[in-house]
Amino acid sequence: MESESPTPDLHDPRDRRLPHMAPPCGLVLFGITGDLARKKLLPAIYDLTNRGLLSPAFALTGFARRDWDREDFEEFVRSSIENYSRTDFNERTWQQLASGLRFVSGSFDDPDAYKRLAETVAELDQSRGTGGNHAFYLSIPPRWFPVVCQNLADNGLNQREGNAWRRVIIEKPFGQDLASARELSDVVGKAFDESDVFRIDHYLGKETVQNILAIRFANTMFEPLWKANYVDHVQITMAEEIGIGTRAGYYDGIGAARDVIQNHLLQLLALTAMEEPVRFTPESLRAEKEKILSALRLPEDLASTTAHGQYAAGWQGGAEVKGFLDEDGIPAESHTETYAALKLFVDTRRWAGVPFYLRTGKRLGKRVTEIAVVFKRAAHVPFENSDVAESGQNVLVIRVQPDEGMTIKFGAKVPGTEMQVRDVTMDFNYGHAFTEDSPEAYERLILDALVGSAPLFPHQREVELSWQILDPVLRYWAERSAPEPYKPGSWGPDSAHDMLARDGRTWRIP
Ligand code: BG6
C-alpha cells in the first residue's frame, strides 16, 4: 500500500488525481431484510451507483431465508432506495443496479443455499464481468459468523484466484468482551486473512470524524496547544433522543457501553489523542491509534469515576415515553444500561494527568455527538472587575453531528467603557463552507471496502484493546450496582453529574 505507483490505475486508491472508484465486483449481503440493510446499506449502494462510483458491472446479491424470487427482491430493494436514499431516484441508475441484482433464498446454516450462492457468484463473473472480486457483508448477529464463514469456506467462496479478491465486511458488536472478541476473530480468521477483513465502525466513515485528523494535522494553530500543558480535560459525548425502539433483542444484555463506548467513543478518543501518523495508510493510522488505546488507564475507584443509568418513563419533546423496563421485549428486571459514562487517562507525556470523560445515552436532552477540548484557564488575567473568572475557559468543540462543524469559545471585550470580558464563539459550519453534501458514512465505508482501502476500518488489535479497557467496568457494574434511573430528556443520572462535580467540573450542555 505504501510504495508509489508509476502509472495511474483507475482502481488504485493512492492516485488522488482519479476518483476513488470501485472495480468490477460483487457484494453479497447477509441480513438483507434487517433494519440496517433497508435503511442504510441499500440506500448507500444506490447513492454510490448514482454518483458513478461503482462500476457498471457491480452486482448485489441478497441472501436471506425469505421465499423470494428475483422480482420480489428487486421490489424490496427498490422500496428501500425510494424511502431512504440521499440522492434522487433516477430510473437509469436504478436499471443499472437492478440488472445486477440476484437473490439466494436459504437459511444461514443450509449448505445447499451456499452451493446456490457459489453458482450465483460464478454466473455473475461470466455474465456481468465481476472478475472474481467478491465481498461478503455480514450484517447479522455475531452468533451466526462461525456458521456463515465455515459455509463460505466449504464452498470455496473465500478463495481468490489470480489478482481477484475475496473480502468479508463485518458489523459490530465484535464480541461482548475481550474473550468473545478473540473467539470471533479466530472464527473469521480461519476463512479470511486479516487484511481481507473490514470491520465497520460507521463513526469512522463520518466526514466530521475524518475532519479531526484534518484539523489537527493540516494546520499549525491547534497542535501546539493539544497537550497537557494547555488542555484541562476532554469531553466526548454521543447523545441520542431516541429510546431503543424495536431493538430490544439486540440491546438487552449489550447496553450503552458495549454498543457505543467500546467502538465509536474509544475510536473518537484515539483520533483526538493520537500522534501524527507517518502517512495516511492503514498501517500508520492503526499504529498511532493502537498506541493511545494501549496507553489508556481507568482510575482505580470505579465507583466514583464511572456512571450508568437506565431511562425511566416520562415525557420527552411533548410526548409521553416508556421507560426502558417497559419497552417491548425487555425483562422487567433487566440491568442493561442505556446511559454510560467513564473517566479515562491516557498515560503518555502529551496527556499526563488530563482526564478524558466519555458519555453516551439514549433518551437524553438532544441528539448530539461532539468532542470538546476544554483548555486551562489563563494563569493570570490583568483586568479588574472582569467576568473572566466565571467563564474564561477556552473550548474547541468538534461537532460531529448534527450541524457538523467546529466551534471555538474564547473571551472577548464587552463593548463599553469598562474592561469586561465575556465568552463568545466562532463557528465553522460544513453546510456553509462547502457546497458538496457530506456522503453518508456507509457510502464511504462500503466504497472503501470495495476499493480495498483500509484506513477507516479498525484492526482486531484495536478491538481487543478497547475491550480490555471496558471489561473491568462492565464486571464492576454487573457485580456491584444496578443502573440508576434518569428522566427522559435529561442529561443522564445524578451519579454522572456527581462524577464530574467531584473533579470540580461539569458536563457541557451541548
Ligand atoms: C449504532 C448503535 O452503532 O449507532 C445505535 O448501535 C445508535 O444504538 C447508532 O443508535 C447511532 O448512529 P448515528 O450515526 O445516528 O449517530
Side-chain angles (χ1 to χ4, degrees):
M1 294 284 306
E2 297 182 25
S3 62
E4 289 295 320
S5 165
T7 44
D9 166 355
L10 189 60
H11 308 127
D12 185 342
R14 287 170 295 182
D15 193 331
R16 293 200 187 87
R17 291 164 298 180
L18 295 168
H20 198 61
M21 199 183 149
C25 62
L27 181 68
V28 179
L29 193 43
F30 290 85
I32 191 104
T33 53
D35 246 25
L36 184 73
R38 226 160 33 88
K39 295 189 178 156
K40 298 281 185 191
L41 307 182
L42 294 173
I45 289 166
Y46 171 82
D47 289 326
L48 287 171
T49 316
N50 220 2
R51 290 164 61 216
L53 297 173
L54 297 185
S55 142
F58 175 77
L60 173 71
T61 304
F63 187 112
R65 220 173 7 205
R66 305 270 167 106
D67 189 18
W68 280 347
D69 59 19
R70 194 167 163 278
E71 280 69 44
D72 298 323
F73 179 54
E74 205 175 298
E75 197 159 318
F76 172 81
V77 176
R78 183 174 177 137
S79 103
S80 130
I81 287 168
E82 284 176 343
N83 286 320
Y84 298 108
S85 289
R86 196 169 60 84
T87 56
D88 289 339
F89 190 82
N90 172 316
E91 195 55 41
R92 271 186 55 197
T93 306
W94 166 244
Q95 288 308 331
Q96 179 189 321
L97 189 62
S99 61
L101 292 181
R102 301 288 184 275
F103 184 71
V104 174
S105 168
S107 56
F108 298 145
D109 54 359
D110 171 8
D112 289 340
Y114 291 85
K115 292 206 173 66
R116 293 196 292 278
L117 179 62
E119 284 161 18
T120 305
V121 162
E123 179 267 316
L124 285 169
D125 286 342
Q126 287 290 320
S127 69
R128 188 106 178 140
T130 38
N133 299 321
H134 296 276
F136 302 93
Y137 196 131
L138 311 191
S139 176
I140 55 178
R143 68 173 185 280
W144 285 109
F145 286 9
V147 176
V148 174
C149 287
Q150 185 62 49
N151 276 292
L152 290 175
D154 288 349
N155 288 278
L157 283 158
N158 58 340
Q159 298 294 328
R160 56 172 86 229
E161 267 175 38
N163 288 331
W165 46 259
R166 298 291 159 115
R167 298 184 184 132
V168 64
I169 306 173
I170 54 181
E171 275 287 340
K172 72 175 181 68
F174 310 123
Q176 293 245 13
D177 53 20
L178 179 59
S180 56
R182 284 189 174 143
E183 275 169 31
L184 209 62
S185 163
D186 289 348
V187 160
V188 176
K190 282 195 187 118
F192 293 92
D193 283 350
E194 172 63 29
S195 60
D196 295 324
V197 181
F198 290 74
R199 292 178 192 81
I200 299 256
D201 181 323
H202 79 282
Y203 265 62
L204 297 182
K206 292 185 191 267
E207 286 287 314
T208 31
V209 171
Q210 294 158 49
N211 193 37
I212 301 170
L213 299 179
I215 290 169
R216 294 193 53 203
F217 304 127
N219 296 295
T220 45
M221 61 194 275
F222 303 115
E223 210 46 23
L225 303 179
W226 216 259
K227 54 170 74 140
N229 311 38
Y230 302 102
V231 174
D232 179 70
H233 72 280
V234 177
Q235 294 188 15
I236 305 184
T237 301
M238 192 281 219
E240 294 183 284
E241 279 174 50
I242 53 169
I244 57 148
T246 53
R247 296 171 77 219
Y250 161 76
Y251 202 84
D252 189 42
I254 294 277
R258 289 186 175 96
D259 186 38
V260 172
I261 296 187
Q262 187 272 336
N263 37 79
H264 308 326
L265 295 196
L266 287 176
Q267 285 287 326
L268 292 185
L269 185 157
L271 293 172
T272 306
M274 73 184 204
E275 298 300 318
E276 182 173 306
V278 179
R279 291 184 199 85
F280 191 62
T281 59
E283 294 76 16
S284 317
L285 211 62
R286 286 165 168 179
E288 297 306 335
K289 282 195 287 168
E290 268 175 51
K291 277 194 226 159
I292 291 299
L293 294 170
S294 351
L296 286 180
R297 176 174 53 85
L298 282 166
E300 274 175 20
D301 176 15
L302 294 182
S304 61
T305 55
T306 69
H308 67 319
Q310 226 175 35
Y311 60 81
W315 289 81
Q316 191 179 31
E320 194 164 12
V321 297
K322 283 183 184 175
F324 178 69
L325 296 178
D326 306 322
E327 298 277 15
D328 293 341
I330 299 293
E333 68 287 359
S334 171
H335 277 186
T336 300
E337 82 284 353
T338 59
Y339 177 99
L342 313 177
K343 172 177 169 179
L344 288 169
F345 289 102
V346 181
D347 283 341
T348 60
R349 178 176 292 213
R350 186 194 274 265
W351 294 115
V354 177
F356 281 70
Y357 299 103
L358 312 187
R359 64 174 162 167
T360 182
K362 301 218 182 262
R363 289 254 178 263
L364 296 182
K366 188 175 166 188
R367 174 177 181 251
V368 62
T369 300
E370 62 164 45
I371 299 161
V373 179
V374 182
F375 291 89
K376 292 186 171 162
R377 291 179 195 282
H380 170 71
V381 179
F383 317 123
E384 281 174 26
N385 305 326
S386 76
D387 290 342
V388 175
E390 312 291 276
S391 47
Q393 240 177 325
N394 298 151
V395 185
L396 185 151
V397 184
I398 298 174
R399 302 193 310 266
V400 174
Q401 67 184 27
D403 188 23
E404 289 88 347
M406 189 168 98
T407 301
I408 297 181
K409 189 176 102 174
F410 57 98
K413 182 181 174 303
V414 179
T417 50
E418 284 175 37
M419 193 59 188
Q420 272 203 352
V421 179
R422 288 272 161 79
D423 281 343
V424 293
T425 54
M426 198 157 75
D427 275 331
F428 150 65
N429 187 297
Y430 256 87
H432 296 161
F434 298 105
T435 48
E436 300 90 346
D437 281 348
S438 298
E440 259 285 318
Y442 275 102
E443 280 174 57
R444 173 68 196 258
L445 295 176
I446 292 172
L447 181 61
D448 277 8
L450 299 180
V451 167
S453 169
L456 300 181
F457 298 87
H459 189 277
Q460 174 64 15
R461 279 196 297 279
E462 294 171 61
V463 171
E464 292 184 12
L465 288 166
S466 306
W467 281 121
Q468 221 159 297
I469 283 297
L470 216 54
D471 274 1
V473 179
L474 294 169
R475 266 200 307 272
Y476 178 82
W477 288 346
E479 284 161 12
R480 308 285 161 93
S481 55
E484 182 192 343
Y486 60 93
K487 278 198 191 131
S490 71
W491 283 100
D494 291 345
S495 49
H497 299 288
D498 296 345
M499 173 183 149
L500 258 73
R502 270 182 220 107
D503 292 351
R505 301 186 174 103
T506 51
W507 288 109
R508 283 170 46 78
I509 304 290

